[in-house]
Amino acid sequence: MCATCMLCNSFHHTGKIPPDSTLIFDIELMEIRNGPRSHESFQQMDLNDDWKLSRVEVKEYLRKEFERHGYSPNDTQHEVMVEDIFKKEDEDNDGYISAREFTYKHDEL
């Protein structure tokens, strides 16, 4: 008798899944939703409380996040990431990401 058949028979007779059984689940993804970016996360990044994010503040945030997750800081990679972030987020091209630009829902998120 195969292991699957034994598991099924055991479950049907006792109503319990035997110990050390391997369960396999099929999960269907129904929907992905984008949550709003919070003012709290913006405030964590806004080091000088001027309600706008500079490249230095975004780079410092990235550095801290990399370290927090066990990665060593990489200034070259962070510069590339900061430039990419500002291209997408700094809508008025003033060199800063405002609180409105940060919390506004974007399609690419």
Side-chain angles (χ1 to χ4, degrees):
M1 182 179 275
C2 72
T4 303
C5 297
M6 290 174 24
L7 176 62
C8 289
N9 286 336
S10 175
F11 178 75
H12 288 298
H13 292 295
T14 65
K16 297 179 182 176
I17 298 171
D20 300 320
S21 298
T22 300
L23 302 177
I24 300 172
F25 296 91
D26 288 326
I27 299 173
E28 182 179 347
L29 179 62
M30 302 297 286
E31 181 178 11
I32 296 176
R33 294 184 186 177
N34 295 323
R37 297 182 194 175
S38 71
H39 284 287
E40 290 81 15
S41 23
F42 181 87
Q43 288 174 322
Q44 288 176 349
M45 296 173 73
D46 186 15
L47 300 176
N48 62 359
D49 295 324
D50 63 355
W51 285 95
K52 57 185 179 182
L53 302 176
S54 68
R55 283 177 165 76
V56 171
E57 289 171 319
V58 173
K59 185 176 176 182
E60 179 63 17
Y61 177 79
L62 291 173
R63 185 189 66 74
K64 287 179 183 177
E65 284 297 299
F66 269 60
E67 287 179 352
R68 188 168 71 94
H69 292 285
Y71 298 104
S72 59
N74 180 333
D75 283 342
T76 304
Q77 184 179 14
H78 294 169
E79 286 292 335
V80 170
M81 292 172 73
V82 167
E83 288 308 312
D84 187 51
I85 289 168
F86 271 79
K87 281 180 192 171
K88 292 178 181 174
E89 306 297 331
D90 183 15
E91 295 172 0
D92 60 7
N93 294 313
D94 66 350
Y96 296 95
I97 298 172
S98 68
R100 187 200 62 77
E101 290 169 327
F102 182 82
T103 57
Y104 181 75
K105 184 177 177 182
H106 297 276
D107 291 338
E108 69 273 1
L109 297 179

